[in-house]
Amino acid sequence: MAIERTLAIVKPDATRKGVVGEAIRAAEEAGLTPVAIRRIHLTRAQAEGFYAVHRARPFFADLTAFMSEGPVVVMALEGPDAIATWRRLLGATDPGKAEEGTLRRRFGTNIQANGFHGSDGGETAAFEMGYFFAGLEIP
Ligand code: ADP
Ligand code: MG
């Protein structure tokens, strides 16, 4: 298994619920190490920049409003197959359809406010980590 890095976000709904520690615990139990962490309240424009690939989707306006409604906790996670491993821990996009025991099932609110984000591939992970962390902040 390749050692990878991925970008994880505890979204505003889950940060408000106080489950940042649960996300870190799940990551660590799966062999993923948080190599960088920050808490940030995104502006609307910053949320739009992050989700630029979803610009054309019908839920873009609602999604970026939600992502900028309160602080998020952003982490770069490192470990074996980090990208797929973290997405497996998240479960399906819709918490109601996510597998039992996954983070979205346990702590998500609805299909939009689903608690957590995970990069979906290597290029996305590189873009997303660069969006939040300067080179010197990820050793
Ligand atoms: P994922 O985060 O599982 O990779 P997507 O990339 O398809 O899912 O969508 C990005 C985010 O947009 C989701 O995590 C969720 O917050 C939101 N979203 C996705 N689909 C919908 C939808 N049908 N209605 C509202 N929000 C959605
Ligand atoms: Mg996605």
Side-chain angles (χ1 to χ4, degrees), residues 11 51 54 57 59 63 87 93 104 111-112 114 117:
K11 294 184 180 183
Y51 276 123
H54 293 316
R57 298 180 71 173
F59 54 79
L63 174 62
R87 284 187 67 93
T93 305
R104 283 171 167 169
I111 192 169
Q112 174 182 269
N114 57 2
H117 168 85

Side-chain angles (χ1 to χ4, degrees), residues 4-60:
E4 295 175 339
R5 286 178 174 182
T6 192
L7 194 277
I9 303 179
V10 184
K11 294 184 180 183
D13 60 315
T15 299
R16 196 182 312 116
K17 291 175 187 176
V19 295
V20 174
E22 301 287 346
I24 294 174
R25 175 186 296 271
E28 289 184 327
E29 283 178 351
L32 305 181
T33 303
V35 293
I37 304 184
R38 71 183 295 195
R39 184 175 185 275
I40 181 172
H41 189 154
L42 296 170
T43 65
R44 184 72 180 265
Q46 288 168 338
E48 289 171 354
F50 177 74
Y51 276 123
V53 296
H54 293 316
R55 212 180 301 108
R57 298 180 71 173
F59 54 79
F60 181 72

